[in-house]
Amino acid sequence: MSVIICAYTDRRWPVLVDAVGSALAQRPAPLEVVLVIDHNDTLLARARKELPGAIVVANAERQGLSGARNTGVARATGEVVAFLDDDAVARPGWLASLTAAYGDAGVIGTGGVAVPRWETGKPAWFPDEFLWVVGCSYRGLPEHSAPIRNPIGANMAFRRAACTGAGGFSHGIGRIGKTPLGCEETELSIRVRAGNDGATILQVPGAAVDHLVTAERVRWEYFRSRCWAEGLSKALVTNSVGHDAALASERTYATRTLPAGVLRGVAEALRGDLDGLRRAAAIVAGLAITTAGFVRGTIARRRGEA
């Protein structure tokens, strides 16, 4: 297995060092750790000098996370490629857990758990159902090994041949620098499964990483912008792979997970935890903003707007 880490800014240097170190420290060790620097020559030079344990390469494609990941896949030589975010630290046993699943020939992808590591503490109003906003595993995901549509981007793996056979990650979907778009792993997962009949992407709860959540990401402004961007991203995915495939998991999430979260928040408030009402309100607002972003993205797509 090859581990791929993509980085674009030197502001995350300390945690990037920890991320690379955590990958190299896995037992059994990875075949290689490929660090892809996304159009930042200063960071590229520093990484090559100070991270000798990793294979450091520059993004050879368009700027953005999709291009960086494709560059990493092209450079990797492992049968399986695992992706770790540059601000996430893999726990001991992470790689072994992801690797074990590929003993089943029908498993074409895996996803682990991203546990939030709060830089300034979790806000009382922040609902667990929306932890995906900060790149972490959220309430509603399987708690045991089970098939899933797509893994979380901070902690996932695919068979390399399937990834390249599907054409890799799509440009125009996903994060570019601080622009909080996403869903590139969702879109790829759908295409990978469509090209491999009977293939499974498996949730592996034992493969855990600690994902840094900085102070700027726990503000309401970021929550709002990330929900809006998620709606826009889902519209792009729908355009790529079709409405049913793109929104299959979201229907269950919106009709079961979120209503249960609202009821839970109200019940907590009735028991004296008034922040429960704030969490319930955040769930309602988050769903509304995400839906509005999806509608806006759908209209833009139909009009042929960028």
Side-chain angles (χ1 to χ4, degrees):
M1 182 175 283
S2 300
V3 177
I4 298 172
I5 302 173
C6 303
Y8 73 95
T9 176
D10 51 8
R11 291 181 58 193
R12 295 179 177 177
W13 179 257
V15 72
L16 173 60
V17 172
D18 290 342
V20 172
S22 71
L24 292 169
Q26 294 295 306
R27 294 293 179 268
L31 176 65
E32 60 202 353
V33 174
V34 180
L35 174 59
V36 185
I37 306 301
D38 188 16
H39 296 268
N40 186 328
D41 292 339
T42 301
L43 180 60
L44 178 67
R46 184 178 187 182
R48 283 175 170 168
K49 179 181 179 181
E50 300 184 33
L51 297 173
I55 299 170
V56 182
V57 299
N59 180 7
E61 297 189 6
R62 287 165 48 185
Q63 184 178 9
L65 185 54
S66 290
R69 284 174 169 168
N70 288 340
T71 297
V73 172
R75 177 59 182 81
T77 58
E79 178 185 351
V80 175
V81 287
F83 297 90
L84 178 68
D85 270 11
D86 63 337
D87 55 355
V89 175
R91 294 183 179 181
W94 165 68
L95 200 59
S97 296
L98 286 181
T99 303
Y102 291 93
D104 181 347
V107 173
I108 205 166
T110 49
V113 173
V115 181
R117 180 164 68 90
W118 305 96
E119 184 178 57
T120 56
K122 180 185 177 183
W125 60 267
F126 204 112
D128 288 344
E129 289 80 3
F130 275 80
L131 283 172
W132 55 263
V133 165
V134 292
C136 294
S137 300
Y138 55 91
R139 179 178 280 139
L141 288 176
E143 297 181 359
H144 305 284
S145 180
I148 53 175
R149 182 191 63 185
N150 62 275
I152 193 165
N155 179 5
M156 63 181 181
F158 294 98
R159 292 190 187 272
R160 184 165 57 90
C163 190
T164 56
F169 294 90
S170 295
H171 292 286
I173 300 177
R175 182 176 292 268
I176 301 176
K178 291 186 176 182
T179 305
L181 296 171
C183 294
E184 68 277 6
E185 62 274 358
T186 301
E187 197 263 354
L188 175 65
S189 296
I190 294 170
R191 285 190 287 111
V192 164
R193 290 183 58 199
N196 296 270
D197 290 339
T200 299
I201 297 176
L202 197 65
Q203 178 78 357
V204 184
V209 305
D210 294 299
H211 198 182
L212 178 65
V213 181
T214 58
E216 66 184 58
R217 292 191 176 188
V218 298
R219 299 189 180 104
W220 168 252
E221 291 77 13
Y222 184 84
F223 183 92
R224 180 184 60 198
S225 66
R226 182 68 186 87
C227 288
W228 174 263
E230 183 72 6
L232 294 176
S233 299
K234 281 294 188 296
L236 292 173
V237 174
T238 300
N239 184 51
S240 175
V241 299
H243 192 276
D244 290 342
L247 299 179
S249 296
E250 285 71 18
R251 293 190 188 94
T252 301
Y253 175 74
T255 59
R256 297 182 184 179
T257 302
L258 296 188
V262 171
L263 292 176
R264 184 182 302 105
V266 172
E268 290 168 345
L270 292 174
R271 292 195 296 267
D273 180 7
L274 296 183
D275 286 322
L277 284 180
R278 297 174 67 195
R279 290 188 288 272
I283 290 173
V284 174
L287 176 60
I289 295 168
T290 305
T291 302
F294 177 78
V295 172
R296 177 66 182 92
T298 301
I299 292 172
R301 176 174 55 83
R302 290 176 178 174
R303 291 177 176 175
E305 298 176 10

